[in-house]
């Protein structure tokens, strides 16, 4: 998280934005932006990634927002191909009664 936070800070500075301006654009508080930039693990990953994209950090080596969207959609399509859990939660199987 610290590396990504540093990238967010660098991107923000390159754009000439204050933390408050980036926060406003991302819909979070300036304190949240500060926490992201310092690598605080208390910030939700959704906020971190959203702020990073708005700041212009290339996530997954992709700088084009449309390409990042296409990658997300391909990932969702792949996840949809995975089988649904067959055994219902809470039922006993071949685990000798062990609950993990």
């Amino acid at each position: 998280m610290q590396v990504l936070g540093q990238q967010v800070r660098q991107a923000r500075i390159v754009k000439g934005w204050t933390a408050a301006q980036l926060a406003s654009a991302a819909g979070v508080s300036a304190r949240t932006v500060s926490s992201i930039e310092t690598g605080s693990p208390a910030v939700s990953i959704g906020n971190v990634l959203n702020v990073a994209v708005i700041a212009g950090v290339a996530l997954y080596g992709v700088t084009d927002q449309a390409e990042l969207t296409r990658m997300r959609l391909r990932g969702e399509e792949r996840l949809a191909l995975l089988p649904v859990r067959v055994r219902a939660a809470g039922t006993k199987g071949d685990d000798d009664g062990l609950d993990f």
Side-chain angles (χ1 to χ4, degrees):
M1 292 301 277
Q2 288 181 333
V3 172
L4 184 55
Q6 291 170 354
Q7 291 174 329
V8 167
R9 181 180 172 97
Q10 290 171 352
R12 176 180 62 78
I13 291 170
V14 166
K15 286 188 170 200
W17 289 358
T18 64
Q21 288 171 316
L22 177 55
S24 177
V28 297
S29 69
R31 183 179 180 126
T32 298
V33 170
S34 177
S35 294
I36 291 168
E37 292 180 350
T38 59
S40 172
V43 182
S44 75
I45 191 67
N47 280 339
V48 172
L49 295 176
N50 189 42
V51 168
V53 167
I54 291 169
V57 174
L59 298 176
Y60 309 107
V62 177
T63 57
D64 180 28
Q65 180 67 33
E67 178 59 25
L68 192 58
T69 301
R70 283 190 292 276
M71 288 176 64
R72 180 183 55 81
L73 291 173
R74 281 193 304 265
E76 289 175 357
E77 289 169 355
R78 288 181 185 143
L79 285 174
L81 296 175
L82 295 175
V84 176
R85 185 175 177 156
V86 176
R87 188 172 58 158
T91 60
K92 304 282 185 199
D94 294 337
D95 61 2
D96 297 324
L98 300 174
D99 289 325
F100 290 96

